[in-house]
Amino acid sequence: VNKGDMVQRLEELLGRVRARAAQPRARSSDARVDGTATAVEPETAAAMIAAAPERSAGAPAVTERAAEEAPSSDVRGSRERLVAVDAAGAEPRGTEPHVEVRESVAPVDVAELEVLEEQEADEPPLSSRRPVVPQPEERIAQIAFGEEEPRAPLHTPPPESGKLPSADVDFDADLDVSGVRSPTPLLPRKGPEPSPRELTAEAIRPQLVPSDAVADVVAGAQAFSPSTFVALLDASLGLCQA
Amino acid sequence: MVASSFDSTHAVRFDLPRGSVRTRADNDRVLLVPTAALDDLVLSASPEAVEALGRALGGAIGRRAAARMGDPQSATVEGFVAQLAGETAIAGVGALTVERWGRALVVVVEDSPLVGTLLVAIVASAIESASARRTWCTLLSRDDRVARILVAGEGAVGRVREWIAAGVGWSEALTKLQGGAA
């Protein structure tokens, strides 16, 4: 059903509603007798009848009969009579005042109907694809913590240094299935590099030729030569004397 | 003329019937004392007592050497040292020689059984008694075999003691002492 057909149907429905609303109120009273009026209690009906002269002075017969028959326990019978009175009184009388007729259905605005139709048409069916919108709580968590998981704190202790113990792997691997192969032989490792040898000085010795003419003595090495022990003792005793 | 050699003939006379030991030069009675007894005495006595003991021993050695020389003032270095070393050896103090470091006189005593403090006092007193000069001595070095003793004036000895206490080597101290004298 497209939108045009829907609008046309609604306009037809509106026309029927207006037509029925334009009909006299007695017709609607007949429908009430068949449906909604069955739930009216006798006391309510009596109250309505008592209030009737205030609203309309043109229904005194109905009011009087309803007041007379209200105490009766046979509600169905009184309704049948009411229907008969209404049917008889449905014809307008010249002397009776005009009875105000109210429409049972509120007037419907066509523009509102069209807008509602468009809103309903915009909603996709349940089986159709629709964007996945995160739930509000998820959205708040996403805004607060971001899309990714919170990172681990940076102040975690560093891993311990040193060699880590190897995992105890002791299984018999099927070479054809697991793909485990024995390592290929590597080149022989080189031994530790030899420590640097201790450095030794390489002596460079000049070739010196001995000669007798090296010494040229100008004077005696020691001018002090005491002749006696007492002279030597006096010289030693005289050291550092002011 | 002082002989440059030491005559040790009958330097000590043992009178066994009387039980005495005497030196020939001055006929003094001496006593053979074990060195261990002297060491104990030096260790237990005060410095002044050790100084007095050393000067007494050295004075006797110096007087005997001077008696041998006759005129110590005119004795040559070799003659003086020969007589002094002879008497020191007879006393059992050790082998005495002399070194001359510039103007400084250094006495070297080898194989001495005595401790340094006592030996310094003996040498100082022996030279003082033999030469008739007031002398002061200080120990320059001492090991198991050799002891070197400076013979000088009071001021020089005091300076050398301070230098050696400050870590200055004894030979360097003698060199500095020569510069101070100049």
Side-chain angles (χ1 to χ4, degrees):
Chain A
V1 180
N2 55 13
K3 187 183 296 183
D5 296 338
M6 181 64 72
V7 172
Q8 185 177 1
R9 289 183 181 180
L10 289 173
E11 289 178 352
E12 293 176 355
L13 179 60
L14 180 61
R16 287 198 300 269
V17 169
R18 286 180 176 175
R20 295 183 64 178
Q23 290 179 0
R25 186 166 182 82
R27 299 285 293 177
S28 62
S29 300
D30 294 342
R32 284 185 181 179
V33 171
D34 295 336
T36 59
T38 54
V40 176
E41 296 297 330
E43 294 80 4
T44 304
M48 292 175 62
I49 292 169
E54 296 178 0
R55 294 188 307 177
S56 173
V62 176
T63 302
E64 290 174 1
R65 290 186 182 181
E68 291 173 0
E69 294 175 2
S72 173
S73 59
D74 190 358
V75 177
R76 179 175 295 272
S78 63
R79 286 177 181 171
E80 289 176 355
R81 285 192 292 272
L82 283 173
V83 170
V85 170
D86 291 339
E91 297 293 332
R93 299 175 183 176
T95 59
E96 292 179 356
H98 175 69
V99 177
E100 184 179 1
V101 179
R102 294 182 179 180
E103 295 180 352
S104 61
V105 178
V108 178
D109 191 358
V110 179
E112 291 181 358
L113 289 175
E114 292 178 356
V115 171
L116 290 174
E117 286 177 357
E118 291 178 358
Q119 290 177 353
E120 291 176 356
D122 291 338
E123 292 180 0
L126 295 176
S127 60
S128 65
R129 293 182 179 180
R130 65 191 70 183
V132 179
V133 179
Q135 297 298 325
E137 295 180 355
E138 296 177 356
R139 180 60 179 167
I140 293 172
Q142 182 178 356
I143 294 172
F145 302 106
E147 296 181 354
E148 297 179 354
E149 294 182 358
R151 294 181 179 179
L154 298 178
H155 52 75
T156 54
E160 296 182 356
S161 60
K163 295 182 178 180
L164 296 176
S166 60
D168 294 333
V169 179
D170 186 10
F171 66 94
D172 296 331
D174 190 353
L175 301 181
D176 295 334
V177 177
S178 63
V180 177
R181 299 289 185 270
S182 60
T184 58
L186 300 175
L187 294 176
R189 289 187 175 180
K190 296 181 180 179
E193 295 184 359
S195 60
R197 293 179 297 179
E198 295 181 357
L199 297 177
T200 58
E202 296 180 359
I204 301 173
R205 301 181 184 279
Q207 298 293 332
L208 300 178
V209 178
S211 174
D212 294 336
V214 174
D216 184 12
V217 179
V218 175
Q222 291 181 343
F224 177 70
S225 82
S227 59
T228 62
F229 181 82
V230 174
L232 174 60
L233 180 59
D234 291 338
S236 182
L237 292 174
L239 290 172
C240 293
Q241 287 184 353
Chain B
M1 183 69 180
V2 178
S4 61
S5 61
F6 177 75
D7 183 9
S8 62
T9 303
H10 301 155
V12 178
R13 184 176 59 202
F14 289 87
D15 188 354
L16 298 181
R18 295 185 178 181
S20 64
V21 182
R22 294 182 181 270
T23 59
R24 190 189 67 175
D26 53 4
N27 202 25
D28 285 345
R29 190 170 181 177
V30 295
L31 181 66
L32 297 177
V33 178
T35 56
L38 281 178
D39 290 340
D40 294 341
L41 178 63
V42 169
L43 292 175
S44 59
S46 63
E48 292 78 10
V50 174
E51 178 75 14
L53 176 62
R55 287 201 167 267
L57 295 175
I61 293 173
R63 285 192 300 271
R64 287 193 295 268
R68 284 179 176 270
M69 287 184 282
D71 185 11
Q73 302 299 322
S74 60
T76 62
V77 177
E78 291 78 8
F80 192 99
V81 172
Q83 302 308 317
L84 184 63
E87 290 295 334
T88 304
I90 288 175
V93 174
L96 186 145
T97 57
V98 171
E99 293 179 350
R100 185 163 62 89
W101 291 72
R103 292 178 176 270
L105 175 63
V106 176
V107 174
V108 180
V109 180
E110 298 180 33
D111 297 326
S112 175
L114 304 178
V115 296
T117 54
L118 185 59
L119 189 60
V120 168
I122 289 174
V123 168
S125 180
I127 293 176
E128 187 173 305
S129 299
S131 64
R133 299 285 194 280
R134 180 80 167 109
T135 59
W136 290 264
C137 295
T138 184
L139 187 66
L140 294 177
S141 65
R142 179 76 161 96
D143 55 21
D144 295 337
R145 201 179 67 87
V146 177
R148 279 187 170 82
I149 301 166
L150 171 65
V151 181
E154 186 177 9
V157 167
R159 288 190 179 184
V160 171
R161 284 177 181 172
E162 293 176 357
W163 292 335
I164 290 176
V168 178
W170 62 270
S171 60
E172 185 180 355
L174 292 178
T175 303
K176 294 175 66 174
L177 190 63
Q178 304 296 322

